[in-house]
Amino acid sequence: MTPPHPAWLPVSAFRPVGSRRVRVTGAGTLVDTVRGEVAAAVAAHGGALVDDGPADLELVCGGDDGSEAFTVARAGATSVRADGGAGLLYGFHHVVRLGEAAFAADFAPERHAPRRSIRMLDHWDNMDVHPVMGQVERGYSGDSIFYADGRVREDLGRVEAYARLLGSTGVNRVGLNNVNVHRTEARLLTDLLPDAVRLADAFRPHGIRVHLSVGFASPITLGGLSTADPLDPAVREWWNRATAAVYAAIPDFGGYVVKADSEGRPGPFAYGRDHADGANLLARALAPFGGTVFWRAFVYDHHQDWRDRSTDRARAAHDHFAPLDGAFDPNVVLQVKYGPLDFQAREPVSPVIAAMPGTRLAVELQVTQEYTGQQKHVCHLVPQWSEILRFPLGGDAVGDIADGVVAVSNVGQDRFWTGHPLAQANLFGFGRLAWDDRLAPEAVLDEWIGLTFEDPAAREPLRDLMGDSWRTYERYTAPLGVGFMVNPGDHYGPGVDGYEYSRWGTYHFADRDGVGVDRTRATGTGFTGQYPAPWRDVYESAETCPDELLLFFHHVPYGHVLRSGRTVVQHIYDTHFAGVEEVGRMVGVWAELKGRVPDAVFGRVEELLAEQLRCATEWRDQVNTYFFRKSGVPDAHGRTIH
Amino acid sequence: MTPPHPAWLPVSAFRPVGSRRVRVTGAGTLVDTVRGEVAAAVAAHGGALVDDGPADLELVCGGDDGSEAFTVARAGATSVRADGGAGLLYGFHHVVRLGEAAFAADFAPERHAPRRSIRMLDHWDNMDVHPVMGQVERGYSGDSIFYADGRVREDLGRVEAYARLLGSTGVNRVGLNNVNVHRTEARLLTDLLPDAVRLADAFRPHGIRVHLSVGFASPITLGGLSTADPLDPAVREWWNRATAAVYAAIPDFGGYVVKADSEGRPGPFAYGRDHADGANLLARALAPFGGTVFWRAFVYDHHQDWRDRSTDRARAAHDHFAPLDGAFDPNVVLQVKYGPLDFQAREPVSPVIAAMPGTRLAVELQVTQEYTGQQKHVCHLVPQWSEILRFPLGGDAVGDIADGVVAVSNVGQDRFWTGHPLAQANLFGFGRLAWDDRLAPEAVLDEWIGLTFEDPAAREPLRDLMGDSWRTYERYTAPLGVGFMVNPGDHYGPGVDGYEYSRWGTYHFADRDGVGVDRTRATGTGFTGQYPAPWRDVYESAETCPDELLLFFHHVPYGHVLRSGRTVVQHIYDTHFAGVEEVGRMVGVWAELKGRVPDAVFGRVEELLAEQLRCATEWRDQVNTYFFRKSGVPDAHGRTIH
C-alpha cells in the first residue's frame, strides 16, 4: 500500500532543524514526542540530538503544567522555552515553520500563546457505513481513518500520523464520531469504550484530548431507562456513572459533543425542558473530571413550509438560544455555526455570537467542503475564516468573543488525506487560525506551501492559484449571499431551484421581477433585529448592506444598482463569466507546476481542475440561464447565455 | 403472517360457478388447473364437479394445441369449448366474470380470441437489493415476490397465487428479472438456472411462459470471452449453447428481454454493429426452440446537454430503429414504449409504432406507477391504455398494429400485492386490454369491481372514485403534455425545474414569456416529421395540436389561447385548483365506503388518500407559484397562489 502523503510534515521540512545540534530538556509525554521528532530529523539530515555541550537549538520544558505558551529567542543558540510539554511541542513546530530564519543572527525574541484554549476538529465519522450518508458524513476523502467494519481499525498508524499533523498546528481536541450518532458508535460510550481508549492513546502524545458525540436519548437506548428527561434523578445518575466509567478509561477525556432537538435528533424538548437543562445535565456529569460539553446551536425547524413567508430558518439559533444566556454551566460551550444557515460560501456572521455574553461560545467552521466544492474544487477557505474571526460583531471581533474554534475535519483514507491535495492547506490553516486568528491568511498559506513543497519555484504559482480561490468559488456559485442553489441531498453542483420549494427553509424567492430574502425588520422576517448596532441598521437598508450579502437580507429588483455600480442581474452575469474564466486561468497556472511538485500530486490536481472547470461552467450556465429566463434582461456584453 | 389479499379472485367471486354442477372434459396441465379451480369453487359454494350426468356448466377442451380461443354458449347448460387448455382456462374465467349472467336463459353465444398472442408482464425485480434502486426497480409494493437474499424464494406460494391471477386475465408471458441486469440475476442464465426453473414451474399451470432479461455482454461477464461482438462466431456459439441449456431445463421458455446500448447498458454499438445485428444474434439462438427476443427500443443519449436545443430525446427511438425496419428476424419483437419519452401521464403515441411495418412490435406500458403516483395516488390507468391502443396512428389503430402488449408489473410482497389496493385494478385491466383493446375501460373497471367487492353498493362509489382518476392526476401535475417536472431520481412529487438543466433530455424551457418544447419541423427539433399524416401536420401547428399535447410540441406564450378558449397560464391555474378539489372530493367518496369494503382495505386507502391530497396540494402550489413567479399573470379568479 502506498503510504499516505506526508502533507505539511515531509522529511524535507525538517532540514533546518535536523541538520543542527539540538538539545531537548524536560520530561513528560509531549516532551518525549518532541524528542522523537528531533531524533528523526537529525537522523535524516545529519545533525545531532545532544544531551550536553553546545547546541544550535535548545528546547526547554520548564515544567509540566499543561501551558501551551512558548518563547523563541536567539542568544548564540536558538531556544524554545515552555512551561509545559504542549508549549514545547508547539514551539518546536514553530521553529520548523520558521526554518533557517529561526537561526538568523538577528532573530528577535518572540512569545507565543494561543488566543484560546479550545481548538477542535470534529469528525462526522460513522462506525458503520450509513446507507445514505456513507461512512463519513459529508466526507470527500474516502473511508474513515478511525473506523472499519463497525470497529476502530486494527492498525492506527494513520491515526497517529494524523494526530502528529494536527498537533503541529496547535489543534488540541478532536471529536471522534458523527454528531448524528447512529447505533454502533453510540456504544463507544459503553461497551465499545475500549475502542475509544485506543484512539485516545493515539492522540495523547500530540497534546490532543478526545471527545465523544453522544445521543441525548442514550439513557433509554443504551441504558434501558424509560426516560431521558434531564431532570430525572435516574437519568442524572445514568450519565454520572457512564461518564465516570469513561474517565476511568481515559483520564484526559475532553468531554461530549451533542446535537439535540435538531434535524430529528432527540433532545430535552421531548420532556418540556430547554437546551440549558439538557446541556447542564451532561456538564454536571463531566465537571468533576474537568470535562466540557459542546452543545450545538444548530437547531431549527427542518419541516418548514415554503409557502409560509413569516418563518425564517436564519432566525432559529438566536430565537432558541439567546434567551438562555446565563443559564448554561461554566463547562458548557455553545457551539455556533459561523453563519445563521449552514456553512455556505458566504453568510453574514451569526448574531448569536454577540448575543450571549454570559455563555462560553465556540465558533464552528467547516474544513470539509460540503458547500464549497467537496474537495473537487480548489477553494482555500482560510481567507473566509479570517474574515469571520476578524469581523467586529459587537464591540469585539468574533475571534475576541469566541472561547473556542471548532471545525469539521476533511480527512479520510485517501492517499492525500483530503481528496484534493491542495485541501490539506485548509486543515493546516484551520489549526493556525484557531491558534491565532490575527495571522494573515497569506502568511498561513505561505507557511503551508513552504513546508509542503520543496521547490521554492512552486510558491508563487500556488499563491496565485489558491489565494483568491474562495472568492472565485463564490463568483461562479450562488450570487450576492443568497446561498444554497445546490443539488438537494448531495449539495454538489448547481440546482438553482433545488431547495426552493423544500422543507429545509433555504429559499431565494426569485420571480420575474427580482430575487432575495427580505429579512428586514421593516417588511421582512425581522432577522436584522437580532444583530447589535451598527449591523442591525447596516443590514436593514439595501443602501448600506454590503453587496456580497445583499440578497441574504433583501429582496430587490433585478435592476437594483449595487454599491459596485452594476445592476444585480448584470452582476450575476459578470461574476459567473469571471469565475469560470478564473478557473480556466487556474488550469494554466497549475500546468506550469509540472515537474515542480510530485507527479502524483500534479496528476491528481490536474484531474480535479478539469472537473472544477466543468462544474464551474455548469454553474455559470445554469445560474445565468435561470436569471435570464426569469428577468428577460440580456447580458450587457452580449455573451452567450443559453 | 397475514395471507395476501385475494385481489379479484376472492372465494365470493366463484359463487355463480361454484354453486352449480360443473363438468370438465379434456386433459392436460391447464385443463387440470381449470379442474382444480372448479373443485375449489364447488367445495366453497355447494355445487359439484361431475364426470357424467346433467351439468349446469360444461367446460370442454377438444385438444391440446395451445389455442387460446374459446366459445361460450348456452343450450340447456352453459358450455365453454376450447381447442386448447389455455382457451379453456380463459373461457372458465370469462364465465367467472360473467357470473349469473352466463347462466341466463337468453345467453347468446360468444366466441372470444385474443387480439394478439403476446400479452406480457415484465418484472424489474433484482435478486439482490440494489443500493439505489432497491429490490424492485420502480417498485412501490414492497420486496420482490420472486427473490429474497439473492435467490429465488423457498416458498413460492405467493408466486403461484400471482400466476393464477395473471392467468385469469389472459396474461401469457412474464419477464422474471429487471432489464437492468445486475450481477446476481445475470446468473439465472447459467448457474442459477435451477432458480428460473422453479419460477417457470409456478407459472406453467396458468399458461404463462417465462423470460429472462439478459445482458448483452454476457459472453464476456458470464462466459469469459473477450468480446460480445454479435458477428463473432465464438459469441454466437456461446449464446447457442447457453440458450440450448435453458431449453433443456425449461422446454416452454419464452425467450429473452434485452435493454442494450441504453442508459449505460452494454450493446452492439461497442463493436460497430447495429441493433438488428444484436437482436438477431439472440433470435437465432432462440429460433430452434420457438423462443422470442424482446428488444427494447428505449434507446437514447442520456448524457444530453441542456444547452443544445438541437437534440431531442423524443426523436431518439425513431432515429435509431426506423431505418432498421425489415432487418429484424421474425422472432424478434421490438418493444416500444407507448410514448417517445418515458411513461409520462400524457405523451403522444410513439411514432415508431407506425414506422416499422416490416418488424414485429410490442407496445410497452407501465402498470407500476413510476410517474403516475407510485401507488400512493389513485390513478386508474386503463383509460390511458385504451386511448393509446385505440389511437389511429397510421391507417390503423395502435392496437391493430401491435403484435404484443407488454407492461411493467406493479406487484410485491405487500399484503394487497400492489401497495394501493385500488392499483390491483390496473394489473387486472392491463391483462384484459392486452387480450382485447376494444373493451371499454368502464366495462373493465366494472368487471374488476364486481369480482373484487362483494357488496354491490360499493360499485357506484368506486366507479366515481377511480373512473376519471388518471385525468385528475394529469390535472394537478405537469400541464398540457409537457411532462416530467418531478423530483429527480425518485420521480415522486413536484420538481418543476427538477430535470430542467439535467443530462436526461427532459425539458420544458419555461421562461418569463412562455413554456413548452418546440418539436416542429418549421422551427423546432423536427420531431413532428416522424409521424405519418395526418399527425405530422396536426401536431405541427399550434392551432390544430390537441390542447393536452400542446406543450409537448410547441413553445408558446403564457397568453396563448387554447382550443378550450382559456390562456395557457390560466389553464395551468384552473386545472391545478380543479385537480386538488377533485382529490378532496375523492376523500369524501371513499368515506362513504366504510363498512362496504373490508376494514383493512378501507384503512389503507383512507391513509393513502390523505397522502394523495397532501401531494396533490404540493403539486398545485409549486406549479402555480412557479408559473406565477415566471409569468407575473395573476389568477383570473383571485385564488391563493403563494
Side-chain angles (χ1 to χ4, degrees):
Chain A
M1 219 181 82
T2 320
H5 187 265
W8 53 84
L9 296 182
V11 173
S12 61
F14 293 86
R15 185 171 295 115
V17 167
S19 57
R20 289 188 158 81
R21 292 170 56 84
V22 185
R23 187 163 56 229
V24 183
T25 309
T29 305
L30 273 70
V31 176
D32 290 345
T33 299
V34 173
R35 198 172 275 118
E37 291 284 355
V38 171
V42 297
H45 296 292
L49 178 56
V50 296
D51 282 334
D52 48 25
D56 305 314
L57 175 61
E58 296 169 344
L59 301 164
V60 183
C61 183
D64 197 19
D65 69 349
S67 162
E68 298 182 306
F70 62 88
T71 305
V72 189
R74 172 115 190 129
T78 298
S79 68
V80 174
R81 283 166 206 285
D83 285 337
L88 194 73
L89 179 70
Y90 302 143
F92 167 74
H93 282 289
H94 188 76
V95 169
V96 172
R97 285 190 296 271
L98 287 170
E100 285 300 334
F103 302 95
D106 59 348
F107 184 86
E110 297 177 355
R111 178 172 165 76
H112 294 272
R115 288 257 290 162
R116 62 194 59 78
S117 63
I118 294 169
R119 307 180 299 276
M120 180 165 178
L121 280 167
D122 281 352
H123 281 254
W124 288 354
D125 295 27
N126 301 317
M127 295 187 79
D128 293 313
V129 176
H130 186 272
V132 177
M133 287 301 178
Q135 197 180 14
V136 182
E137 184 160 334
R138 308 306 178 186
Y140 312 104
S141 310
D143 289 343
S144 167
I145 63 170
F146 296 160
Y147 310 113
D149 307 318
R151 295 299 298 265
V152 164
R153 290 178 179 275
E154 277 307 304
D155 177 0
L156 292 185
R158 189 144 184 165
V159 178
E160 288 158 10
Y162 176 61
R164 175 175 174 249
L165 287 169
L166 296 193
S168 79
T169 70
V171 166
N172 63 1
R173 292 170 183 261
V174 160
L176 295 178
N177 59 301
N178 190 357
V179 290
N180 296 318
V181 184
H182 307 297
R183 186 193 303 257
T184 306
E185 59 268 20
R187 292 164 45 209
L188 286 169
L189 187 63
T190 53
D191 63 306
L192 294 183
L193 180 57
D195 278 39
V197 169
R198 294 185 55 230
L199 291 173
D201 290 345
F203 280 106
R204 187 173 297 110
H206 303 279
I208 296 166
R209 298 170 77 179
V210 300
H211 301 65
L212 291 177
S213 292
V214 294
F216 195 77
S218 297
I220 301 170
T221 55
L222 296 171
L225 302 192
S226 61
T227 178
D229 182 349
L231 302 195
D232 186 289
V235 170
R236 207 154 51 219
E237 180 52 28
W238 188 88
W239 279 111
N240 289 345
R241 264 187 292 119
T243 305
V246 174
Y247 276 94
I250 308 175
D252 58 351
F253 180 67
Y256 298 134
V257 181
V258 188
K259 175 178 180 181
D261 285 318
S262 173
E263 299 186 328
R265 311 311 301 170
F269 288 178
Y271 309 100
R273 316 302 181 191
D274 65 22
H275 283 283
D277 295 326
N280 293 343
L281 164 73
L282 303 184
R284 284 163 203 177
L286 289 161
F289 308 100
T292 305
V293 56
F294 291 81
W295 193 267
R296 292 178 87 233
F298 182 59
V299 175
Y300 69 101
D301 174 11
H302 68 295
H303 284 100
Q304 228 171 283
D305 188 337
W306 60 269
R307 288 162 285 224
D308 174 9
R309 293 239 187 166
S310 70
T311 62
D312 180 2
R313 172 169 161 183
R315 292 186 57 108
H318 191 282
D319 285 346
H320 279 290
F321 287 94
L324 297 176
D325 188 36
F328 292 98
D329 278 11
N331 64 328
V332 174
V333 171
L334 192 66
Q335 186 167 321
V336 185
K337 285 192 181 185
Y338 67 82
L341 288 181
D342 190 17
F343 296 140
Q344 300 303 290
R346 177 73 68 177
E347 295 186 41
V349 165
S350 169
V352 175
I353 297 167
M356 303 187 69
T359 306
R360 292 177 75 204
L361 292 179
V363 176
E364 187 176 341
L365 308 170
Q366 204 181 34
V367 180
T368 192
Q369 294 170 233
E370 178 177 359
Y371 294 99
T372 51
Q374 304 199 349
Q375 282 124 264
K376 293 191 172 90
H377 297 219
V378 180
C379 185
H380 186 56
L381 289 166
V382 176
Q384 184 201 40
W385 304 331
S386 174
E387 266 194 31
I388 292 163
L389 293 170
R390 290 172 188 227
F391 187 78
L393 186 58
D396 299 310
V398 168
D400 296 326
I401 300 169
D403 296 282
V405 183
V406 180
V408 186
S409 182
N410 65 348
V411 304
Q413 286 287 97
D414 171 59
R415 70 179 282 200
F416 297 106
W417 293 95
T418 51
H420 203 305
L422 303 185
Q424 292 174 359
N426 285 328
L427 189 63
F428 174 86
F430 166 75
R432 298 291 291 134
L433 279 200
W435 175 276
D436 186 354
D437 44 277
R438 293 165 310 192
L439 292 171
E442 302 75 20
V444 174
L445 179 56
D446 278 353
E447 286 181 352
W448 176 77
I449 296 171
L451 290 167
T452 306
F453 296 97
E454 224 179 328
D455 187 342
R459 170 165 303 196
E460 207 39 56
L462 281 164
R463 275 182 177 166
D464 183 8
L465 189 78
M466 299 170 70
D468 205 36
S469 56
W470 161 54
R471 289 188 183 81
T472 298
Y473 184 85
E474 183 186 17
R475 279 183 200 106
Y476 62 74
T477 57
L480 296 163
V482 78
F484 283 86
M485 299 194 168
V486 292
N487 278 311
D490 79 354
H491 298 169
Y492 186 73
V496 181
D497 269 3
Y499 279 100
E500 192 56 18
Y501 302 95
S502 80
R503 62 195 180 94
W504 297 97
T506 52
Y507 312 122
H508 55 66
F509 300 118
D511 62 19
R512 75 197 316 260
D513 302 315
V515 57
V517 189
D518 185 350
R519 293 192 162 105
T520 63
R521 302 190 288 290
T523 55
T525 68
F527 171 66
T528 57
Q530 294 186 341
Y531 283 88
W535 302 108
R536 51 189 291 114
D537 300 317
V538 169
Y539 293 147
E540 176 74 8
S541 156
E543 302 314 307
T544 53
C545 182
D547 283 354
E548 71 269 17
L549 291 171
L550 183 69
L551 301 184
F552 193 94
F553 287 104
H554 297 275
H555 186 90
V556 298
Y558 293 118
H560 175 91
V561 178
L562 295 168
R563 291 150 68 89
S564 71
R566 284 186 295 201
T567 63
V568 164
V569 69
Q570 190 60 43
H571 170 95
I572 291 173
Y573 299 153
D574 288 350
T575 50
H576 284 77
F577 282 112
V580 174
E581 261 171 49
E582 174 62 16
V583 177
R585 203 186 64 78
M586 287 158 69
V587 171
V589 172
W590 185 254
E592 288 171 31
L593 282 164
K594 184 152 196 169
R596 294 185 174 166
V597 300
D599 286 347
V601 172
F602 183 83
R604 175 75 73 90
V605 175
E606 188 180 42
E607 242 172 55
L608 290 172
L609 276 167
E611 164 57 16
Q612 184 172 3
L613 183 57
R614 183 206 65 75
C615 188
T617 304
E618 194 63 36
W619 269 102
R620 176 194 70 193
D621 290 343
Q622 288 198 31
V623 170
N624 284 352
T625 297
Y626 182 95
F627 285 104
F628 175 64
R629 284 190 187 179
K630 276 224 156 120
S631 72
V633 179
D635 173 39
H637 307 295
R639 292 163 293 193
T640 301
I641 296 180
H642 299 274
Chain B
M1 219 182 82
T2 319
H5 187 264
W8 54 85
L9 297 182
V11 174
S12 61
F14 293 86
R15 184 171 297 114
V17 166
S19 56
R20 290 188 158 83
R21 292 171 56 84
V22 185
R23 187 163 57 227
V24 183
T25 309
T29 306
L30 272 70
V31 176
D32 289 345
T33 300
V34 172
R35 196 172 277 117
E37 291 284 355
V38 171
V42 298
H45 296 292
L49 177 57
V50 296
D51 281 334
D52 47 25
D56 305 315
L57 175 61
E58 297 169 342
L59 300 163
V60 183
C61 183
D64 197 19
D65 70 350
S67 163
E68 298 181 307
F70 61 87
T71 304
V72 188
R74 173 117 189 129
T78 298
S79 67
V80 173
R81 286 170 202 284
D83 285 337
L88 194 73
L89 179 70
Y90 301 144
F92 167 75
H93 281 290
H94 188 75
V95 170
V96 173
R97 285 190 295 270
L98 287 169
E100 284 301 333
F103 301 96
D106 58 348
F107 184 85
E110 297 176 355
R111 178 173 166 77
H112 293 272
R115 288 256 292 159
R116 60 193 61 78
S117 62
I118 295 168
R119 308 180 300 277
M120 180 164 177
L121 279 167
D122 282 351
H123 280 255
W124 288 354
D125 294 29
N126 302 316
M127 294 187 79
D128 294 314
V129 176
H130 187 273
V132 177
M133 288 301 178
Q135 196 180 14
V136 181
E137 184 161 333
R138 308 306 179 188
Y140 312 105
S141 311
D143 289 342
S144 168
I145 63 169
F146 297 158
Y147 310 114
D149 305 320
R151 295 299 298 264
V152 164
R153 291 178 179 274
E154 277 308 304
D155 176 0
L156 293 185
R158 190 146 184 160
V159 178
E160 288 157 11
Y162 176 61
R164 175 175 175 250
L165 287 168
L166 295 193
S168 79
T169 70
V171 166
N172 63 359
R173 292 171 182 262
V174 160
L176 295 179
N177 59 301
N178 190 356
V179 290
N180 295 317
V181 184
H182 307 299
R183 187 193 303 258
T184 306
E185 58 268 21
R187 292 164 46 209
L188 286 170
L189 187 62
T190 52
D191 62 307
L192 294 183
L193 180 56
D195 279 39
V197 170
R198 294 185 55 230
L199 291 173
D201 290 346
F203 280 106
R204 188 173 296 110
H206 303 278
I208 296 166
R209 300 169 75 180
V210 299
H211 302 67
L212 291 176
S213 291
V214 295
F216 196 78
S218 297
I220 300 171
T221 54
L222 296 171
L225 303 191
S226 60
T227 178
D229 182 349
L231 303 195
D232 185 289
V235 170
R236 206 155 49 219
E237 180 50 29
W238 188 87
W239 279 111
N240 289 347
R241 265 188 293 118
T243 304
V246 174
Y247 276 92
I250 308 174
D252 58 350
F253 181 68
Y256 298 133
V257 181
V258 188
K259 175 177 179 180
D261 285 318
S262 172
E263 299 186 329
R265 312 310 303 170
F269 288 178
Y271 308 101
R273 315 302 182 191
D274 64 23
H275 283 283
D277 296 326
N280 293 343
L281 164 73
L282 302 183
R284 285 164 202 177
L286 290 161
F289 308 100
T292 304
V293 55
F294 292 81
W295 193 267
R296 293 178 89 233
F298 182 59
V299 174
Y300 69 100
D301 174 11
H302 68 295
H303 284 100
Q304 227 171 285
D305 188 337
W306 61 270
R307 288 162 285 223
D308 175 9
R309 293 240 186 165
S310 69
T311 62
D312 181 2
R313 173 169 159 182
R315 294 187 56 109
H318 190 284
D319 284 346
H320 279 291
F321 286 95
L324 296 177
D325 187 36
F328 291 97
D329 279 10
N331 63 327
V332 174
V333 170
L334 192 66
Q335 186 166 320
V336 186
K337 285 191 181 185
Y338 69 80
L341 288 182
D342 190 17
F343 297 139
Q344 299 304 289
R346 178 71 71 175
E347 295 187 40
V349 165
S350 170
V352 175
I353 297 166
M356 303 187 68
T359 305
R360 293 178 75 206
L361 293 179
V363 176
E364 187 175 341
L365 308 169
Q366 204 180 34
V367 180
T368 192
Q369 294 170 233
E370 178 177 359
Y371 293 101
T372 51
Q374 304 198 348
Q375 282 124 264
K376 294 190 171 88
H377 297 220
V378 181
C379 185
H380 185 56
L381 289 166
V382 176
Q384 184 201 40
W385 304 332
S386 174
E387 267 196 29
I388 292 163
L389 293 170
R390 291 172 187 228
F391 187 77
L393 185 58
D396 299 311
V398 168
D400 297 325
I401 300 169
D403 296 281
V405 183
V406 180
V408 187
S409 181
N410 65 348
V411 304
Q413 286 287 98
D414 171 59
R415 70 179 283 200
F416 297 106
W417 293 96
T418 51
H420 203 304
L422 304 185
Q424 292 175 0
N426 284 327
L427 188 63
F428 174 86
F430 166 76
R432 297 292 290 134
L433 279 200
W435 175 276
D436 186 355
D437 44 278
R438 293 165 311 193
L439 293 171
E442 302 76 18
V444 174
L445 178 56
D446 279 353
E447 285 181 353
W448 176 78
I449 296 171
L451 289 167
T452 306
F453 297 97
E454 224 178 328
D455 186 342
R459 172 165 303 195
E460 208 38 57
L462 281 164
R463 274 182 178 166
D464 182 8
L465 190 78
M466 298 169 70
D468 204 35
S469 56
W470 161 55
R471 288 187 184 82
T472 297
Y473 184 84
E474 184 186 16
R475 279 182 201 107
Y476 61 73
T477 57
L480 296 163
V482 77
F484 284 85
M485 299 192 168
V486 291
N487 279 311
D490 78 355
H491 297 168
Y492 185 73
V496 181
D497 268 3
Y499 278 101
E500 191 56 18
Y501 301 95
S502 80
R503 62 195 180 92
W504 298 94
T506 51
Y507 312 123
H508 56 66
F509 300 119
D511 61 20
R512 75 198 313 262
D513 302 315
V515 57
V517 188
D518 185 350
R519 293 192 161 106
T520 63
R521 302 191 287 291
T523 54
T525 68
F527 171 66
T528 57
Q530 293 185 343
Y531 282 89
W535 302 107
R536 51 188 292 113
D537 300 318
V538 169
Y539 293 147
E540 176 74 8
S541 155
E543 302 313 308
T544 54
C545 182
D547 282 353
E548 71 268 19
L549 291 171
L550 182 70
L551 301 184
F552 193 94
F553 286 105
H554 297 276
H555 187 91
V556 299
Y558 292 117
H560 176 91
V561 177
L562 294 168
R563 292 150 68 87
S564 71
R566 284 187 295 201
T567 63
V568 164
V569 70
Q570 191 58 45
H571 170 95
I572 291 172
Y573 300 154
D574 288 350
T575 50
H576 284 77
F577 282 113
V580 173
E581 261 172 47
E582 174 60 17
V583 176
R585 202 187 62 80
M586 287 158 69
V587 171
V589 171
W590 184 253
E592 289 171 30
L593 282 163
K594 186 152 194 168
R596 295 184 174 170
V597 300
D599 286 348
V601 172
F602 184 83
R604 175 76 72 90
V605 174
E606 188 179 42
E607 242 172 56
L608 290 171
L609 277 167
E611 164 57 16
Q612 183 172 4
L613 183 58
R614 183 207 65 77
C615 187
T617 305
E618 194 63 37
W619 268 102
R620 177 194 71 191
D621 290 342
Q622 288 199 30
V623 170
N624 284 353
T625 296
Y626 182 95
F627 284 105
F628 175 63
R629 284 190 189 179
K630 276 224 156 120
S631 72
V633 178
D635 174 40
H637 308 294
R639 291 163 293 193
T640 300
I641 296 180
H642 298 275

